[in-house]
Amino acid sequence: MNIFRLAADMTHLISILVLLLKIHATRSCRGISLKTQDLYALVFLFRYLDLFTRYISLYNTVMKLVFLGTSFSIIYFMRFHRVVRNTYDKEQDTFRSIFIVVPCAVLALLINQERSVLEILWTFSIYLEAVAILPQLVLLQRTQNIDNLTGNYVFLLGTYRGLYILNWIYRYLTEPHYRQWIVWLSGVLQTGLYVDFFYYYFLAWRNNQKLSLP
Amino acid sequence: NVFKGTHDEL
């Protein structure tokens, strides 16, 4: 565990806490894409199947359980909470998830490192995570007056994957046999999707204006 | 297996 990896995981955790804070404090999930949240739950579910087969560390197990628990609780609030569910922008959240789920599944079947069910599902989760933010970015573009917590949530999510790239560079330089091009390419693509958002996020911050995407 | 590396990541 290096400092970049720890910082990345903590940023990821904080992003989720910021989203939960938004939902609890404002009793609203306005501007949040349920499609992206569904995709993240799927990502965690398929990636962490090894919870039952492989023990890595207490840190690893606890974090996996936290990510699973929080992602499903967010979905619960957005779908079923009697107040929160009414604030969901269903009409605006129109991205068709099937257009990214199917290609990712096909890609995972074709390009993977081991022909086993667990490994293919794990690879699928890597591909899917790379593009799971797309419905959220589309929804943000359609949202007038993006609130601070929503903007910071997306910013932290992008930062988390960017920090993972530093972690991969560090591990590549310090650990022999550390080669993971499937993860690296997906991670770079994932971070790249945020470049546009980052640009407008910093512009709004510098000019002290509310964030909005053109 | 050298590819198992990142399975220790989240």
Side-chain angles (χ1 to χ4, degrees):
Chain A
M1 172 82 83
N2 59 66
I3 187 72
F4 304 112
R5 160 80 195 281
L6 184 65
D9 287 346
M10 289 306 116
T11 308
H12 195 184
L13 184 64
I14 292 167
S15 76
I16 293 168
L17 295 180
V18 164
L19 178 53
L20 278 169
L21 173 73
K22 173 196 157 76
I23 291 173
H24 274 276
T26 66
R27 297 253 143 191
S28 157
C29 61
R30 189 179 159 274
I32 301 298
S33 167
L34 181 57
K35 308 218 169 179
T36 284
Q37 297 305 319
D38 283 343
L39 292 174
Y40 281 142
L42 208 60
V43 164
F44 290 140
L45 197 64
F46 284 159
R47 187 172 305 166
Y48 299 158
L49 287 173
D50 68 354
L51 264 175
F52 305 104
T53 60
R54 174 170 31 210
Y55 178 79
I56 294 158
S57 66
L58 181 64
Y59 169 84
N60 206 280
T61 302
V62 170
M63 290 294 276
K64 284 175 176 172
L65 291 173
V66 169
F67 284 150
L68 280 168
T70 48
S71 68
F72 279 98
S73 68
I74 288 164
I75 289 173
Y76 169 80
F77 278 113
M78 292 186 71
R79 283 188 193 278
F80 302 114
H81 188 278
R82 78 190 154 77
V83 180
V84 175
R85 70 171 185 213
N86 296 323
T87 62
Y88 168 50
D89 305 318
K90 193 169 198 266
E91 285 73 30
Q92 306 267 49
D93 192 16
T94 53
F95 192 95
R96 299 283 299 275
S97 302
I98 196 84
F99 291 139
I100 51 181
V101 170
V102 171
C104 287
V106 172
L107 207 59
L109 283 168
L110 294 176
I111 304 174
N112 54 61
Q113 287 163 343
E114 197 184 292
R115 295 229 148 248
S116 74
V117 174
L118 272 187
E119 181 70 15
I120 288 170
L121 289 176
W122 179 87
T123 309
F124 171 64
S125 84
I126 295 289
Y127 294 146
L128 191 60
E129 185 189 351
V131 289
I133 195 65
L134 285 174
Q136 179 64 65
L137 290 175
V138 169
L139 179 58
L140 276 190
Q141 281 195 324
R142 294 178 178 164
T143 307
Q144 304 291 317
N145 295 320
I146 301 167
D147 62 86
N148 274 330
L149 288 173
T150 303
N152 287 325
Y153 165 65
V154 177
F155 174 74
L156 288 164
L157 268 183
T159 306
Y160 133 69
R161 217 45 175 172
L163 286 168
Y164 252 99
I165 294 176
L166 298 180
N167 158 58
W168 294 328
I169 293 171
Y170 181 87
R171 291 188 71 175
Y172 177 80
L173 296 173
T174 56
E175 290 175 39
H177 310 302
Y178 183 75
R179 303 279 187 284
Q180 257 295 1
W181 59 271
I182 284 182
V183 176
W184 293 344
L185 286 179
S186 308
V188 169
L189 168 70
Q190 184 175 349
T191 310
L193 293 179
Y194 288 88
V195 166
D196 206 45
F197 172 85
F198 280 151
Y199 175 74
Y200 291 106
Y201 181 89
F202 282 117
L203 214 61
W205 176 74
R206 198 190 62 187
N207 299 335
N208 219 355
Q209 290 168 339
K210 259 199 156 338
L211 173 66
S212 70
L213 303 183
Chain B
N1 187 338
V2 296
F3 293 121
K4 287 296 177 193
T6 44
H7 285 61
D8 62 5
E9 293 179 350
L10 300 162

Coordinates of all heavy atoms in Angstrom, one line a residue, chain A residues 122-188:
Chain A
W122 N -14.8 -10.1 -13.1 CA -13.9 -9.0 -12.6 C -13.5 -8.1 -13.7 O -13.5 -6.8 -13.6 CB -12.6 -9.7 -12.0 CG -11.6 -8.7 -11.4 CD1 -11.6 -8.2 -10.2 CD2 -10.5 -8.2 -12.1 NE1 -10.5 -7.3 -10.0 CE2 -9.8 -7.3 -11.2 CE3 -9.9 -8.3 -13.4 CZ2 -8.7 -6.6 -11.5 CZ3 -8.8 -7.6 -13.7 CH2 -8.2 -6.8 -12.8
T123 N -13.1 -8.6 -14.9 CA -12.7 -7.8 -16.0 C -13.9 -7.0 -16.5 O -13.7 -5.8 -16.8 CB -12.2 -8.7 -17.2 OG1 -11.2 -9.6 -16.7 CG2 -11.6 -7.9 -18.3
F124 N -15.0 -7.5 -16.5 CA -16.3 -6.8 -16.9 C -16.4 -5.6 -16.0 O -16.7 -4.5 -16.4 CB -17.5 -7.7 -16.8 CG -18.8 -7.0 -16.9 CD1 -19.2 -6.4 -18.1 CD2 -19.7 -7.0 -15.9 CE1 -20.4 -5.8 -18.3 CE2 -20.9 -6.4 -16.0 CZ -21.3 -5.8 -17.2
S125 N -16.2 -5.8 -14.7 CA -16.3 -4.7 -13.7 C -15.3 -3.6 -14.0 O -15.6 -2.4 -13.8 CB -16.2 -5.2 -12.3 OG -14.9 -5.3 -11.9
I126 N -14.1 -3.9 -14.4 CA -13.1 -2.9 -14.7 C -13.5 -2.1 -16.0 O -13.5 -0.9 -15.9 CB -11.7 -3.6 -15.0 CG1 -11.2 -4.3 -13.8 CG2 -10.7 -2.6 -15.6 CD1 -10.7 -3.4 -12.7
Y127 N -14.0 -2.8 -17.0 CA -14.5 -2.1 -18.2 C -15.7 -1.2 -17.9 O -15.8 -0.1 -18.3 CB -14.8 -3.1 -19.3 CG -13.6 -3.9 -19.9 CD1 -13.8 -5.2 -20.3 CD2 -12.4 -3.3 -20.0 CE1 -12.7 -5.9 -20.8 CE2 -11.3 -4.0 -20.4 CZ -11.5 -5.3 -20.9 OH -10.4 -6.0 -21.3
L128 N -16.6 -1.8 -17.1 CA -17.8 -1.0 -16.8 C -17.6 0.2 -16.0 O -18.2 1.3 -16.2 CB -18.8 -2.0 -16.1 CG -20.3 -1.4 -16.0 CD1 -20.9 -1.1 -17.4 CD2 -21.2 -2.4 -15.3
E129 N -16.7 0.1 -15.0 CA -16.4 1.2 -14.2 C -15.8 2.4 -15.0 O -16.1 3.6 -14.7 CB -15.4 0.9 -13.0 CG -15.2 2.1 -12.1 CD -14.1 1.9 -11.1 OE1 -13.6 0.8 -10.9 OE2 -13.8 2.9 -10.4
A130 N -15.0 2.0 -16.0 CA -14.4 3.1 -16.9 C -15.5 4.0 -17.5 O -15.2 5.2 -17.6 CB -13.6 2.5 -17.9
V131 N -16.6 3.5 -17.8 CA -17.6 4.3 -18.5 C -18.9 4.6 -17.7 O -19.8 5.2 -18.2 CB -18.0 3.6 -19.9 CG1 -16.8 3.8 -20.9 CG2 -18.4 2.2 -19.7
A132 N -19.0 4.1 -16.5 CA -20.2 4.2 -15.7 C -20.6 5.6 -15.4 O -21.7 5.9 -15.0 CB -20.0 3.3 -14.4
I133 N -19.6 6.5 -15.5 CA -19.9 7.9 -15.1 C -20.7 8.6 -16.2 O -21.3 9.7 -16.0 CB -18.6 8.7 -14.8 CG1 -18.9 10.0 -14.1 CG2 -17.8 9.0 -16.0 CD1 -19.5 9.9 -12.7
L134 N -20.7 8.0 -17.4 CA -21.3 8.7 -18.6 C -22.8 9.2 -18.3 O -23.1 10.3 -18.6 CB -21.3 7.8 -19.8 CG -19.8 7.7 -20.5 CD1 -19.8 6.7 -21.6 CD2 -19.4 9.1 -21.0
P135 N -23.7 8.3 -17.8 CA -25.1 8.8 -17.6 C -25.0 10.0 -16.6 O -25.8 11.0 -16.8 CB -25.8 7.6 -16.9 CG -25.0 6.4 -17.3 CD -23.6 6.9 -17.5
Q136 N -24.1 10.0 -15.6 CA -24.1 11.2 -14.7 C -23.6 12.4 -15.4 O -24.1 13.5 -15.1 CB -23.1 10.8 -13.5 CG -22.9 11.9 -12.5 CD -24.2 12.2 -11.8 OE1 -24.7 11.4 -11.0 NE2 -24.7 13.4 -12.0
L137 N -22.6 12.3 -16.3 CA -22.1 13.5 -17.0 C -23.2 14.0 -17.9 O -23.3 15.3 -18.0 CB -20.8 13.1 -17.8 CG -19.6 12.8 -16.9 CD1 -18.4 12.4 -17.8 CD2 -19.2 14.0 -16.1
V138 N -23.9 13.1 -18.6 CA -25.0 13.6 -19.4 C -26.1 14.3 -18.6 O -26.5 15.4 -19.0 CB -25.6 12.4 -20.2 CG1 -26.9 12.8 -20.9 CG2 -24.6 11.8 -21.2
L139 N -26.4 13.8 -17.5 CA -27.4 14.4 -16.6 C -26.9 15.8 -16.1 O -27.7 16.7 -16.1 CB -27.8 13.5 -15.4 CG -28.8 14.0 -14.4 CD1 -30.1 14.4 -15.1 CD2 -29.0 13.1 -13.3
L140 N -25.6 15.9 -15.8 CA -25.1 17.2 -15.3 C -25.2 18.2 -16.4 O -25.5 19.4 -16.1 CB -23.6 17.0 -14.9 CG -23.3 16.5 -13.5 CD1 -21.8 16.6 -13.2 CD2 -24.1 17.2 -12.5
Q141 N -25.0 17.8 -17.6 CA -25.1 18.8 -18.7 C -26.5 19.4 -18.8 O -26.7 20.5 -19.3 CB -24.7 18.2 -20.0 CG -23.2 18.0 -20.2 CD -22.8 17.7 -21.6 OE1 -23.5 17.0 -22.3 NE2 -21.7 18.3 -22.0
R142 N -27.5 18.5 -18.4 CA -28.9 19.0 -18.6 C -29.4 19.7 -17.3 O -30.5 20.2 -17.3 CB -29.8 17.7 -18.8 CG -29.5 17.1 -20.1 CD -30.3 15.9 -20.3 NE -30.0 15.3 -21.7 CZ -30.3 14.1 -22.0 NH1 -31.0 13.3 -21.2 NH2 -30.0 13.7 -23.2
T143 N -28.6 19.6 -16.2 CA -29.0 20.2 -15.0 C -28.7 21.7 -14.9 O -27.5 22.0 -15.0 CB -28.4 19.5 -13.8 OG1 -28.6 18.1 -13.9 CG2 -29.0 19.9 -12.5
Q144 N -29.7 22.5 -14.7 CA -29.4 23.9 -14.4 C -29.0 24.1 -12.9 O -29.5 23.3 -12.1 CB -30.6 24.8 -14.6 CG -31.2 24.6 -16.0 CD -30.4 25.3 -17.1 OE1 -29.8 26.4 -16.9 NE2 -30.2 24.6 -18.2
N145 N -28.1 25.0 -12.6 CA -27.7 25.2 -11.2 C -27.2 23.9 -10.5 O -27.9 23.4 -9.6 CB -28.8 25.9 -10.4 CG -29.1 27.2 -11.0 OD1 -28.1 28.0 -11.3 ND2 -30.3 27.6 -11.1
I146 N -26.1 23.3 -10.9 CA -25.6 22.2 -10.3 C -25.2 22.6 -8.8 O -24.5 23.5 -8.7 CB -24.4 21.6 -11.0 CG1 -24.8 21.3 -12.5 CG2 -23.8 20.4 -10.3 CD1 -23.6 21.0 -13.4
D147 N -25.7 21.8 -7.8 CA -25.4 22.3 -6.5 C -24.0 21.8 -6.1 O -23.4 20.9 -6.7 CB -26.4 21.7 -5.5 CG -26.5 20.2 -5.4 OD1 -25.7 19.6 -4.7 OD2 -27.3 19.7 -6.2
N148 N -23.4 22.5 -5.0 CA -22.0 22.2 -4.6 C -21.7 20.8 -4.4 O -20.7 20.3 -4.8 CB -21.7 23.1 -3.4 CG -21.3 24.5 -3.8 OD1 -20.8 24.7 -4.8 ND2 -21.6 25.4 -2.9
L149 N -22.6 20.1 -3.6 CA -22.3 18.7 -3.2 C -22.3 17.8 -4.4 O -21.4 16.9 -4.5 CB -23.4 18.3 -2.2 CG -23.2 18.9 -0.8 CD1 -24.4 18.5 0.1 CD2 -21.9 18.5 -0.1
T150 N -23.2 18.0 -5.4 CA -23.2 17.2 -6.6 C -21.9 17.4 -7.4 O -21.2 16.5 -7.8 CB -24.4 17.5 -7.5 OG1 -25.6 17.3 -6.7 CG2 -24.5 16.6 -8.7
G151 N -21.5 18.7 -7.6 CA -20.3 19.1 -8.3 C -19.1 18.4 -7.6 O -18.2 17.8 -8.3
N152 N -19.0 18.6 -6.3 CA -17.9 18.0 -5.5 C -17.9 16.5 -5.6 O -16.8 15.9 -5.6 CB -17.9 18.5 -4.1 CG -17.5 20.0 -4.0 OD1 -16.6 20.4 -4.8 ND2 -18.1 20.7 -3.1
Y153 N -19.0 15.9 -5.6 CA -19.1 14.4 -5.7 C -18.4 13.9 -7.0 O -17.6 13.0 -6.9 CB -20.6 14.0 -5.6 CG -20.8 12.5 -6.1 CD1 -20.3 11.5 -5.4 CD2 -21.5 12.3 -7.3 CE1 -20.5 10.2 -5.8 CE2 -21.7 11.0 -7.7 CZ -21.2 9.9 -6.9 OH -21.4 8.6 -7.4
V154 N -18.8 14.5 -8.1 CA -18.2 14.1 -9.4 C -16.7 14.5 -9.4 O -15.9 13.7 -9.9 CB -19.0 14.8 -10.6 CG1 -18.4 14.4 -11.9 CG2 -20.5 14.3 -10.5
F155 N -16.4 15.6 -8.9 CA -15.0 16.0 -8.9 C -14.1 15.0 -8.1 O -13.1 14.5 -8.5 CB -14.8 17.4 -8.2 CG -13.4 17.8 -8.0 CD1 -12.6 18.2 -9.1 CD2 -12.8 17.8 -6.8 CE1 -11.3 18.6 -8.9 CE2 -11.5 18.1 -6.6 CZ -10.7 18.5 -7.7
L156 N -14.6 14.5 -6.9 CA -13.9 13.6 -6.1 C -13.8 12.2 -6.8 O -12.8 11.5 -6.7 CB -14.6 13.4 -4.8 CG -14.4 14.6 -3.8 CD1 -15.4 14.5 -2.7 CD2 -13.0 14.7 -3.2
L157 N -14.9 11.8 -7.5 CA -14.8 10.6 -8.3 C -13.8 10.6 -9.3 O -13.1 9.6 -9.5 CB -16.2 10.3 -8.9 CG -17.3 9.5 -8.2 CD1 -18.5 9.4 -9.1 CD2 -16.7 8.2 -7.8
G158 N -13.6 11.7 -10.0 CA -12.6 11.8 -11.1 C -11.2 11.8 -10.5 O -10.3 11.2 -11.0
T159 N -11.1 12.5 -9.3 CA -9.8 12.6 -8.6 C -9.3 11.2 -8.2 O -8.1 10.9 -8.3 CB -9.9 13.6 -7.4 OG1 -10.4 14.8 -7.9 CG2 -8.5 13.8 -6.8
Y160 N -10.3 10.4 -7.7 CA -10.0 9.1 -7.2 C -9.3 8.3 -8.3 O -8.2 7.6 -8.0 CB -11.3 8.4 -6.7 CG -11.5 7.0 -7.1 CD1 -10.7 6.0 -6.7 CD2 -12.5 6.7 -8.0 CE1 -10.9 4.7 -7.1 CE2 -12.8 5.4 -8.4 CZ -12.0 4.4 -8.0 OH -12.2 3.1 -8.4
R161 N -9.8 8.3 -9.5 CA -9.2 7.4 -10.5 C -7.9 8.0 -11.0 O -7.0 7.3 -11.4 CB -10.2 7.2 -11.7 CG -10.1 5.8 -12.3 CD -10.1 4.8 -11.3 NE -10.1 3.4 -11.9 CZ -10.0 2.3 -11.2 NH1 -9.7 2.3 -9.9 NH2 -10.1 1.1 -11.8
G162 N -7.8 9.4 -11.0 CA -6.5 10.0 -11.3 C -5.4 9.6 -10.4 O -4.3 9.3 -10.8
L163 N -5.8 9.5 -9.1 CA -4.8 9.1 -8.1 C -4.3 7.7 -8.3 O -3.2 7.3 -8.0 CB -5.3 9.3 -6.7 CG -5.4 10.8 -6.2 CD1 -6.2 10.9 -4.9 CD2 -4.0 11.4 -6.0
Y164 N -5.3 6.8 -8.7 CA -4.9 5.4 -9.0 C -3.9 5.3 -10.1 O -3.0 4.4 -10.0 CB -6.2 4.6 -9.4 CG -6.6 3.7 -8.3 CD1 -7.6 4.0 -7.4 CD2 -5.9 2.4 -8.1 CE1 -8.0 3.1 -6.4 CE2 -6.3 1.6 -7.1 CZ -7.3 1.9 -6.2 OH -7.7 1.1 -5.2
I165 N -3.9 6.2 -11.0 CA -2.9 6.2 -12.1 C -1.5 6.5 -11.5 O -0.5 5.8 -11.8 CB -3.2 7.3 -13.2 CG1 -4.5 6.9 -13.9 CG2 -2.0 7.4 -14.2 CD1 -4.9 7.9 -15.0
L166 N -1.4 7.4 -10.5 CA -0.1 7.6 -9.8 C 0.3 6.4 -9.1 O 1.5 6.0 -9.1 CB -0.3 8.8 -8.9 CG -0.6 10.2 -9.5 CD1 -0.6 11.2 -8.4 CD2 0.5 10.5 -10.5
N167 N -0.7 5.7 -8.4 CA -0.4 4.5 -7.7 C 0.1 3.4 -8.7 O 1.1 2.7 -8.4 CB -1.7 4.0 -7.1 CG -1.7 2.5 -6.8 OD1 -0.9 2.0 -6.1 ND2 -2.7 1.8 -7.3
W168 N -0.4 3.3 -9.9 CA 0.0 2.3 -10.9 C 1.5 2.6 -11.3 O 2.3 1.7 -11.5 CB -0.9 2.2 -12.1 CG -2.3 1.7 -11.7 CD1 -2.6 0.8 -10.7 CD2 -3.5 2.1 -12.3 NE1 -3.9 0.6 -10.6 CE2 -4.5 1.4 -11.6 CE3 -3.9 3.0 -13.3 CZ2 -5.9 1.5 -11.9 CZ3 -5.2 3.1 -13.6 CH2 -6.2 2.4 -12.9
I169 N 1.7 3.9 -11.6 CA 3.1 4.3 -12.0 C 4.1 3.9 -10.8 O 5.1 3.3 -11.1 CB 3.2 5.8 -12.3 CG1 2.3 6.1 -13.5 CG2 4.6 6.2 -12.4 CD1 2.1 7.6 -13.7
Y170 N 3.7 4.2 -9.6 CA 4.6 3.9 -8.5 C 4.8 2.4 -8.4 O 5.9 2.0 -8.2 CB 3.9 4.4 -7.2 CG 4.7 4.2 -5.9 CD1 5.7 5.1 -5.5 CD2 4.5 3.1 -5.2 CE1 6.5 4.9 -4.4 CE2 5.3 2.8 -4.0 CZ 6.3 3.7 -3.7 OH 7.0 3.5 -2.6
R171 N 3.7 1.6 -8.5 CA 3.9 0.2 -8.4 C 4.7 -0.4 -9.5 O 5.5 -1.4 -9.3 CB 2.5 -0.5 -8.3 CG 1.8 -0.2 -7.0 CD 0.5 -1.0 -6.8 NE 0.8 -2.4 -6.6 CZ -0.1 -3.3 -6.3 NH1 -1.4 -3.0 -6.3 NH2 0.2 -4.6 -6.1
Y172 N 4.5 0.1 -10.7 CA 5.2 -0.3 -11.9 C 6.7 -0.1 -11.7 O 7.5 -1.0 -12.0 CB 4.8 0.5 -13.1 CG 5.5 0.1 -14.4 CD1 5.2 -1.0 -15.1 CD2 6.6 0.9 -14.8 CE1 5.9 -1.4 -16.2 CE2 7.2 0.6 -16.0 CZ 6.9 -0.6 -16.7 OH 7.6 -0.9 -17.8
L173 N 7.1 1.0 -11.0 CA 8.5 1.3 -10.8 C 9.1 0.5 -9.6 O 10.3 0.3 -9.6 CB 8.7 2.8 -10.5 CG 8.3 3.7 -11.7 CD1 8.4 5.2 -11.3 CD2 9.2 3.5 -12.9
T174 N 8.2 0.1 -8.7 CA 8.8 -0.5 -7.5 C 8.5 -2.0 -7.3 O 9.2 -2.6 -6.5 CB 8.2 0.2 -6.2 OG1 6.8 0.1 -6.3 CG2 8.6 1.7 -6.1
E175 N 7.6 -2.5 -8.1 CA 7.3 -3.9 -7.9 C 7.6 -4.7 -9.2 O 7.1 -4.4 -10.3 CB 5.8 -4.1 -7.6 CG 5.4 -3.7 -6.2 CD 3.9 -3.8 -6.0 OE1 3.3 -4.8 -6.5 OE2 3.3 -2.9 -5.4
P176 N 8.5 -5.7 -9.1 CA 8.7 -6.5 -10.3 C 7.5 -7.3 -10.7 O 6.6 -7.6 -9.9 CB 9.8 -7.5 -9.9 CG 9.8 -7.4 -8.4 CD 9.2 -6.2 -7.9
H177 N 7.3 -7.5 -12.0 CA 6.2 -8.3 -12.5 C 4.8 -7.6 -12.4 O 3.8 -8.2 -12.5 CB 6.0 -9.7 -11.9 CG 7.3 -10.4 -11.8 ND1 8.0 -10.8 -13.0 CD2 8.0 -10.9 -10.8 CE1 9.1 -11.4 -12.6 NE2 9.1 -11.5 -11.3
Y178 N 4.8 -6.3 -12.1 CA 3.6 -5.6 -12.0 C 3.2 -5.1 -13.3 O 3.6 -4.0 -13.8 CB 3.7 -4.5 -10.9 CG 2.3 -3.8 -10.7 CD1 1.3 -4.4 -10.0 CD2 2.1 -2.5 -11.2 CE1 0.1 -3.7 -9.8 CE2 0.9 -1.8 -11.0 CZ -0.1 -2.4 -10.3 OH -1.2 -1.8 -10.1
R179 N 2.3 -5.8 -14.1 CA 1.9 -5.4 -15.4 C 0.4 -5.6 -15.5 O -0.1 -6.7 -15.3 CB 2.5 -6.3 -16.5 CG 4.0 -6.4 -16.5 CD 4.6 -5.1 -17.2 NE 6.0 -5.3 -17.3 CZ 6.9 -5.0 -16.3 NH1 6.5 -4.7 -15.1 NH2 8.2 -5.1 -16.5
Q180 N -0.3 -4.6 -15.7 CA -1.8 -4.7 -15.7 C -2.4 -3.8 -16.8 O -3.1 -2.9 -16.4 CB -2.3 -4.3 -14.3 CG -2.7 -5.5 -13.5 CD -3.9 -6.3 -14.0 OE1 -4.4 -6.0 -15.1 NE2 -4.3 -7.3 -13.4
W181 N -2.2 -4.1 -18.0 CA -2.6 -3.1 -19.1 C -4.1 -3.0 -19.2 O -4.6 -1.9 -19.6 CB -1.9 -3.5 -20.4 CG -2.2 -4.8 -20.9 CD1 -1.5 -6.0 -20.7 CD2 -3.3 -5.2 -21.8 NE1 -2.1 -7.0 -21.3 CE2 -3.2 -6.6 -22.0 CE3 -4.3 -4.4 -22.4 CZ2 -4.1 -7.2 -22.9 CZ3 -5.2 -5.1 -23.3 CH2 -5.1 -6.5 -23.5
I182 N -4.8 -4.1 -18.9 CA -6.3 -3.9 -19.0 C -6.8 -2.9 -18.0 O -7.6 -2.0 -18.3 CB -7.0 -5.3 -18.7 CG1 -6.9 -6.2 -19.9 CG2 -8.5 -5.1 -18.3 CD1 -7.5 -7.6 -19.7
V183 N -6.3 -2.9 -16.8 CA -6.6 -2.0 -15.7 C -6.1 -0.6 -16.1 O -6.8 0.4 -15.9 CB -6.1 -2.4 -14.4 CG1 -6.4 -1.4 -13.3 CG2 -6.7 -3.8 -14.0
W184 N -4.9 -0.5 -16.6 CA -4.3 0.8 -16.9 C -5.0 1.5 -18.0 O -5.4 2.7 -17.8 CB -2.8 0.6 -17.3 CG -1.9 0.1 -16.2 CD1 -2.2 0.1 -14.8 CD2 -0.6 -0.5 -16.3 NE1 -1.1 -0.4 -14.2 CE2 -0.1 -0.8 -15.0 CE3 0.2 -0.7 -17.4 CZ2 1.1 -1.4 -14.8 CZ3 1.5 -1.3 -17.2 CH2 1.9 -1.6 -15.9
L185 N -5.3 0.8 -19.1 CA -6.0 1.4 -20.2 C -7.4 1.9 -19.8 O -7.8 3.0 -20.1 CB -6.1 0.5 -21.4 CG -4.8 0.3 -22.2 CD1 -5.0 -0.7 -23.3 CD2 -4.3 1.6 -22.7
S186 N -8.1 1.0 -19.0 CA -9.5 1.4 -18.6 C -9.4 2.6 -17.6 O -10.2 3.5 -17.7 CB -10.1 0.2 -17.9 OG -10.0 -1.0 -18.6
G187 N -8.4 2.6 -16.8 CA -8.3 3.7 -15.8 C -8.0 5.0 -16.4 O -8.5 6.0 -16.0
V188 N -7.1 4.9 -17.5 CA -6.7 6.2 -18.2 C -8.0 6.7 -18.9 O -8.3 7.9 -18.9 CB -5.5 6.0 -19.1 CG1 -5.3 7.1 -20.0 CG2 -4.3 5.7 -18.3

